[in-house]
Amino acid sequence: MKFSDGYWQLRPGVVAAHPVEVHDVVAGEGTLVVHAPTTPIRHRGDLLRGPVVTIGLSSPMPDVIGVTITHFAGEVPAEPRFELAVEDGTTAKVVDEDGVAVLTSGALSARVGGGDGWGVDFTAGGRALTSSGAKAMGFMTVDGEHHVRDQLTLGVGDVVYGLGERFGPVARNGQAVDIWNADGGTGTEQAYKNVPFYLTNAGYGVFVDHPGAVSFEVGSEVVSRVQFSVPGQTLRYFVVHGPTPKDVLRRYTALTGRPALPPAWSFGLWLSTSFTTSYDEATVTGFIDGMAERGLPLSVFHFDCFWMREYHWCDFRWDPETFPDPEGMLERLRARGLRVCVWINPYIGQASDLFAEGVAGGFLVRRPNGDVWQGDQWQPGMALVDFTNPAAREWFAGKLDALLEQGVDCFKTDFGERIPTDVVYFDGSDPVRMHNYYTLLYNRTVFDVLRDRRGEHEAVLFARSATAGCQRFPVHWGGDSESTYESMAESLRGGLSLGMSGFGFWSHDIGGFEGTPSAGVFKRWIAFGLLSSHSRLHGSGSYRVPWLFDEEAVDVLRVFTKLKARLMPYLFEAARQAVGTGVPVMRAMVLEFPDDPACTHLERQYLLGDSLLVAPVFTDDGTVSYYVPEGTWTRFTTGDRVRGPRWTTDRCGFTDVPLLVRPNSVVPVGAVDDRPDYDHADGVTLHVYELADGTTATTPVGDAVFTTARRGGVVTVEAHAAPPGWRVLLVGVGAPASVEGGTGTEHVQGVLVQADRDRVVVVVRENDSGGRPS
């Protein structure tokens, strides 16, 4: 929300009150409370006037400082609230430095007051990060409605990212962003996944602890500040120190939650019936047979909406005319090694038997007069499950549990954005705050059923809506895209933005959802989709099996599905990193290269894990331009070298995409190419790239750990708890001077060593350049 009219004036109807000085400071055990009047105190008479701003500072964990700005403290605390972690034993030091109150947590400090003016400065390591200065913090009354806001400064070159899955430019500078979930597709300023957290390249991030409507002006009202505001009497936010963007994500996700580890099978290819297409078991079997006959590995089959009867969404019952033997069908799919996903949402159509059950049990969201809230926007007469009611959650979960008993493995949790505010919840939650938060209760209910029934590491969703904290329940997909190159690009921007908002896993509809893609778009999107964390073929009114496009599409899908299966030892470790650190599997370039100014605005390429650079192709003719950071990078498929920093342009066939390996990398490649869930260490090959002298790299693969070191011309690889049969490929290296612990043979990309012990030593010939520069 914009409050000002230019720099000097306020908009009509706006009244502002800003703190102007520190009146007193109350220091507690690791806390500061500051009272700051909004008019200068010249004499005692000025003490009779308000308002006075109360600012509270505290720290839930090292390097994170919370700021609470309050006008009237008597406001009834509203629910829901984000569930935040507070680390035991966290200490924050409070000192008085020449009249300046300072709260320090880890390396991060907040300094309040000092001099003749007003300000809250955030510093770390002797460096200013950001600050709230004159007329930044305050109370803004707009036509009688009270808001609390703050503005934090942006330095020259500071760039802002995140705020959820947003489809416009990844750099948020210059944008106005409303945190309000909406079903707006992937081509507008609306978003399915709104997260009130932004990340900067300046050593910090900011999380606004408010589940409802939060308004951000990112250098768009005052171009040198990020403004955020909420309605009401109180605003709380946290400044999260890095110093690197990955450090910020690590701390932010420690505060709001990290994702569960999805099962390995979920990383394989998912094939859908699509949305409004006609299908039955014969259709499904035909698709699966067609994939098998063409050598196309398939992991999950997804049944979209019409697995249930029309007008009966959601009653969680198979359409008896289309699927007369669901248990038998599921068993037949299971016998083929497939997992099954079915579509659900939290809306109950009036024709569903569950509607009457929900009304009788008090399980549906109601209007203030006691009526069940109903609408016709999605299903005729639809109502909403009230997930604030424990009995409603148990009722809903029981319906899902019956499907799991039948043989279903996971759920696509669609919708959850169009949540009304003129309603009453069972637990008295504020309906405006529940609008965004509803999706967290919905997805957690479904995820908990899967975890309870299938086990800790077998639960996975395919979810569309989200807010802060929903990253705990992966996986999320990008919503309803168009079948165009432009929409493919906006989908990538959304995924990179979501990754910088704390979400570790993300997917999208290969080929786009709305419309039917051209063969070119479909084939280019396949490469992007299979080099994403999760991969699904899905559409709206047309099928997405590749032979309906052309025979080359079959070849393209085979190449990239098999490539992803072979990369599973590497990808699953990237998944473990996301679970342990909050750093996403698909990473915007700035996450890995925050000091490279060329990376600050890159949004058509990304790192998959920490070592693979992917540049999707957005043209039929295969022309693609991308940036290669400093160092000697290696093309994964050919072994050719590319020296950065530089921009480069390639011309790729449909079975190719720029896939470059970062220098000083060890990429474990699996021995299986027809499924993702295998023993990743059995027969693994460690691809070693440009290992610098003095470097040691540790590579976990399942329960095995490999340690690779280079000292001068000697490369040593030691295996711990690894099954026999592992190999090492020294990429770009010619015939070695000697090999101990294995047998070396020439390889098109270098030298391949078959280990016969737990330790391999390769002596590389001096001045061995290897490879071909480009």
Side-chain angles (χ1 to χ4, degrees):
M1 174 180 290
K2 292 185 177 180
F3 300 102
S4 60
D5 177 9
Y7 193 75
W8 310 109
Q9 302 182 93
L10 296 173
R11 292 192 171 194
V14 177
V15 177
H18 307 287
V20 296
E21 63 183 48
V22 175
H23 180 263
D24 60 61
V25 177
V26 180
E29 186 66 33
T31 63
L32 279 177
V33 177
V34 178
H35 296 105
T38 55
T39 56
I41 305 301
R42 297 159 298 184
H43 49 72
R44 284 192 167 186
D46 291 331
L47 296 170
L48 306 180
R49 295 189 294 170
V52 168
V53 183
T54 302
I55 300 102
L57 300 178
S58 60
S59 175
M61 59 184 58
D63 288 288
V64 179
I65 291 179
V67 180
T68 304
I69 306 166
T70 304
H71 183 194
F72 294 145
E75 187 178 44
V76 175
E79 297 292 338
R81 302 182 182 202
F82 288 125
E83 300 170 358
L84 305 181
V86 176
E87 291 188 4
D88 293 337
T90 299
T91 58
K93 182 175 65 174
V94 179
V95 297
D96 185 338
E97 297 179 356
D98 298 326
V100 178
V102 182
L103 184 141
T104 299
S105 175
L108 178 65
S109 294
R111 306 166 61 87
V112 184
D116 297 328
W118 162 262
V120 180
D121 301 318
F122 298 92
T123 63
R127 186 173 72 88
L129 299 179
T130 187
S131 62
S132 172
K135 294 187 176 181
M137 183 185 295
F139 309 135
M140 317 299 290
T141 304
V142 183
D143 296 327
E145 183 179 44
H146 193 277
H147 298 257
V148 185
R149 84 160 190 204
D150 206 351
Q151 296 174 335
L152 296 179
T153 57
L154 289 172
V156 176
D158 290 359
V159 183
V160 173
Y161 308 95
L163 297 176
E165 179 195 46
R166 319 209 77 84
F167 303 104
V170 167
R172 298 273 88 89
N173 299 53
Q175 299 180 30
V177 175
D178 290 325
I179 301 298
W180 192 254
N181 284 358
D183 178 3
T186 66
T188 73
E189 80 284 357
Q190 295 181 358
Y192 303 99
K193 307 168 188 67
N194 286 268
V195 180
F197 165 76
Y198 68 84
L199 176 69
T200 75
N201 65 342
Y204 70 95
V206 176
F207 170 56
V208 178
D209 183 16
H210 187 91
V214 184
S215 177
F216 285 88
E217 298 291 338
V218 186
S220 51
E221 181 162 17
V222 180
V223 296
S224 60
R225 299 179 183 178
V226 176
Q227 172 178 291
F228 41 90
S229 60
V230 300
Q233 300 290 331
T234 299
L235 165 66
R236 181 164 80 152
Y237 66 89
F238 294 89
V239 174
V240 184
H241 174 234
T244 70
K246 290 198 292 186
D247 289 330
V248 175
L249 283 181
R250 177 169 57 83
R251 294 190 170 101
Y252 165 71
T253 55
L255 183 68
T256 60
R258 293 193 178 129
L261 181 65
W265 54 262
S266 73
F267 289 79
L269 181 62
W270 299 44
L271 174 62
S272 166
T273 58
S274 291
F275 172 30
T276 59
T277 51
S278 177
Y279 55 87
D280 54 17
E281 185 177 355
T283 310
V284 171
T285 301
F287 286 165
I288 294 170
D289 286 343
M291 297 288 283
E293 291 163 1
R294 293 167 174 83
L296 300 173
L298 186 62
S299 294
V300 183
F301 193 87
H302 168 69
F303 293 85
D304 217 61
C305 311
F306 284 96
W307 69 274
M308 293 177 281
R309 292 171 294 170
E310 64 271 13
Y311 292 146
H312 286 253
W313 307 339
C314 284
D315 64 1
F316 307 112
R317 296 176 182 172
W318 295 86
D319 184 339
E321 293 186 7
T322 307
F323 299 105
D325 179 24
E327 290 85 357
M329 179 185 66
L330 293 173
E331 181 57 36
R332 289 186 284 275
L333 293 177
R334 171 76 65 172
R336 302 187 69 159
L338 293 173
R339 308 284 180 153
V340 171
C341 174
V342 297
W343 176 97
I344 65 170
N345 70 33
Y347 309 151
I348 307 296
Q350 187 167 286
S352 167
D353 292 342
L354 269 65
F355 183 84
E357 286 184 35
V359 172
F363 302 150
L364 305 178
V365 174
R366 295 186 175 271
R367 295 185 182 275
N369 67 357
D371 293 343
V372 170
W373 183 93
Q374 290 183 260
D376 287 325
Q377 193 169 13
W378 172 241
Q379 283 285 277
M382 57 167 261
L384 302 171
V385 177
D386 187 348
F387 289 106
T388 72
N389 183 346
R393 293 197 298 270
E394 184 177 355
W395 169 72
F396 191 83
K399 305 299 181 182
L400 302 182
D401 197 56
L403 289 168
L404 297 178
E405 181 68 26
Q406 281 185 327
V408 170
D409 295 284
C410 56
F411 300 103
K412 171 184 170 181
T413 48
D414 207 351
F415 288 85
E417 305 93 358
R418 295 177 180 174
I419 306 303
T421 57
D422 57 339
V423 295
V424 175
Y425 284 94
F426 174 84
D427 71 348
S429 286
D430 179 272
V432 176
R433 294 169 71 97
M434 271 297 298
H435 174 83
N436 293 335
Y437 198 82
Y438 183 92
T439 181
L440 190 147
L441 298 181
Y442 162 41
N443 282 290
R444 180 166 61 189
T445 298
V446 180
F447 195 84
D448 284 349
V449 173
L450 288 163
R451 184 159 44 193
D452 292 346
R453 165 71 72 157
R454 295 288 187 243
E456 183 66 28
H457 297 306
E458 285 294 308
V460 65
L461 305 177
F462 221 82
R464 189 173 77 173
S465 57
T467 188
C470 283
Q471 66 266 16
R472 290 176 286 172
F473 318 120
V475 168
H476 293 81
W477 103 93
D480 297 345
S481 53
E482 302 284 338
S483 296
T484 65
Y485 284 121
E486 292 79 9
S487 197
M488 177 177 158
E490 70 200 19
S491 293
L492 174 55
R493 293 195 295 268
L496 297 181
S497 179
L498 190 68
M500 289 189 282
S501 305
F503 285 69
F505 304 94
W506 175 80
S507 187
H508 45 98
D509 292 339
I510 294 174
F513 177 72
E514 293 289 353
T516 300
S518 67
V521 167
F522 183 68
K523 287 180 283 193
R524 296 300 184 193
W525 209 317
I526 285 172
F528 168 38
L530 270 298
L531 291 171
S532 298
S533 121
H534 285 73
S535 310
R536 183 179 71 160
L537 294 165
H538 180 66
S540 179
S542 56
Y543 303 121
R544 290 293 181 266
V545 287
W547 52 89
L548 296 181
F549 295 89
D550 59 30
E551 283 306 309
E552 187 179 36
V554 175
D555 297 334
V556 173
L557 186 61
R558 184 186 303 111
V559 165
F560 287 103
T561 307
K562 287 179 175 290
L563 172 62
K564 187 174 188 183
R566 291 176 57 234
L567 286 174
M568 273 304 295
Y570 169 80
L571 292 174
F572 208 61
E573 177 55 27
R576 292 183 188 276
Q577 292 175 20
V579 172
T581 68
V583 178
V585 173
M586 299 174 66
R587 305 173 186 178
M589 297 293 289
V590 71
L591 279 181
E592 290 289 342
F593 303 98
D595 298 324
D596 186 340
C599 292
T600 56
H601 290 75
L602 293 182
E603 55 188 26
R604 296 196 304 273
Q605 63 186 79
Y606 57 95
L607 282 191
L608 184 63
D610 53 17
S611 295
L612 296 180
L613 187 159
V614 183
V617 181
F618 298 98
T619 59
D620 278 347
D621 70 4
T623 302
V624 54
S625 296
Y626 56 96
Y627 175 73
V628 180
E630 185 176 3
T632 300
W633 294 64
T634 305
R635 298 182 187 277
F636 180 82
T637 55
T638 66
D640 293 344
R641 293 169 171 177
V642 181
R643 293 187 176 91
R646 63 177 286 192
W647 280 91
T648 189
T649 300
D650 289 350
R651 187 84 172 260
C652 298
F654 285 110
T655 57
D656 192 19
V657 68
L659 179 62
L660 277 64
V661 187
R662 191 176 187 171
N664 276 323
S665 291
V666 177
V667 177
V669 177
V672 175
D673 67 1
D674 62 353
R675 61 183 306 119
D677 47 341
Y678 57 92
D679 183 347
H680 297 154
D682 189 5
V684 69
T685 302
L686 305 177
H687 291 219
V688 181
Y689 296 89
E690 298 292 331
L691 205 61
D693 187 14
T695 299
T696 299
T698 301
T699 309
V701 180
D703 294 329
V705 177
F706 299 89
T707 303
T708 307
R710 180 164 187 164
R711 302 293 182 266
V714 180
V715 177
T716 303
V717 183
E718 296 188 18
H720 307 273
W726 58 276
R727 305 186 299 177
V728 178
L729 176 60
L730 298 178
V731 179
V733 172
S738 65
V739 177
E740 296 178 13
T743 303
T745 58
E746 290 188 13
H747 184 276
V748 67
Q749 291 195 25
V751 58
L752 180 65
V753 178
Q754 179 73 55
D756 55 29
R757 302 178 208 163
D758 289 338
R759 186 171 187 268
V760 167
V761 179
V762 181
V763 179
V764 179
R765 296 183 188 277
E766 290 187 23
N767 302 320
D768 187 355
S769 58
R772 296 185 299 277
S774 63

